[in-house]
Amino acid sequence: EVQLTESGGDLVQPGGSLRLSCVASTYNQNTYRMGWFRQVPGNGRGGVAAIRIRDGTTNYAASVKGRFTISFDHAKNTLYLEMNNLKVEDTAMYYCAAGDGRFASLWHGDYDSWGQGTQVTVSS
């Protein structure tokens, strides 16, 4: 029910930084949470970071906590993921997601709207 468009993926060196953006073109009051997920070919889609839109409560995967920051700009209707100190293991297709649930869940099954994905490649 929400149209999401990601951008910002790129090729970066280990230790580098990237900022991913996700424009929620059809964002409405029923979008209570949004998140970033990533997937490597052959593996499942794992939660990276999530945010409760109403109050900004966030949740991070242990592997990225302290390095990544999720935020939502209400004025621009845009979700961001700032990624710092990137590691090779962060390489994946990153997806933006939105859902009606209250909690900032990191489980992909809790979301029903998805972006097309943006590739992040960390390599030396």
Side-chain angles (χ1 to χ4, degrees):
E1 69 180 59
V2 181
Q3 182 177 334
L4 305 173
T5 304
E6 304 105 326
S7 63
D10 204 352
L11 170 65
V12 297
Q13 295 183 348
S17 299
L18 279 177
R19 174 189 277 237
L20 305 183
S21 299
C22 173
V23 179
S25 299
T26 59
Y27 173 81
N28 57 53
Q29 64 180 359
N30 294 320
T31 301
Y32 298 129
R33 61 186 172 192
M34 298 185 72
W36 289 97
F37 296 77
R38 63 188 181 187
Q39 187 168 16
V40 177
N43 295 328
R45 188 169 298 185
V48 176
I51 185 168
R52 181 177 175 180
I53 298 300
R54 187 182 69 178
D55 62 6
T57 299
T58 58
N59 194 17
Y60 296 92
S63 60
V64 307
K65 192 170 185 178
R67 298 189 297 122
F68 292 9
T69 301
I70 188 172
S71 61
F72 185 78
D73 188 331
H74 287 83
K76 297 182 178 180
N77 230 26
T78 300
L79 182 75
Y80 298 98
L81 182 68
E82 182 178 359
M83 304 183 293
N84 298 312
N85 191 25
L86 283 160
K87 303 176 180 180
V88 172
E89 51 264 43
D90 293 319
T91 296
M93 183 72 74
Y94 283 71
Y95 298 89
C96 174
D100 296 337
R102 182 173 300 278
F103 301 124
S105 174
L106 292 177
W107 182 47
H108 63 86
D110 282 338
Y111 296 81
D112 53 18
S113 297
W114 294 87
Q116 82 287 349
T118 184
Q119 179 68 39
V120 172
T121 301
V122 185
S123 177
S124 60

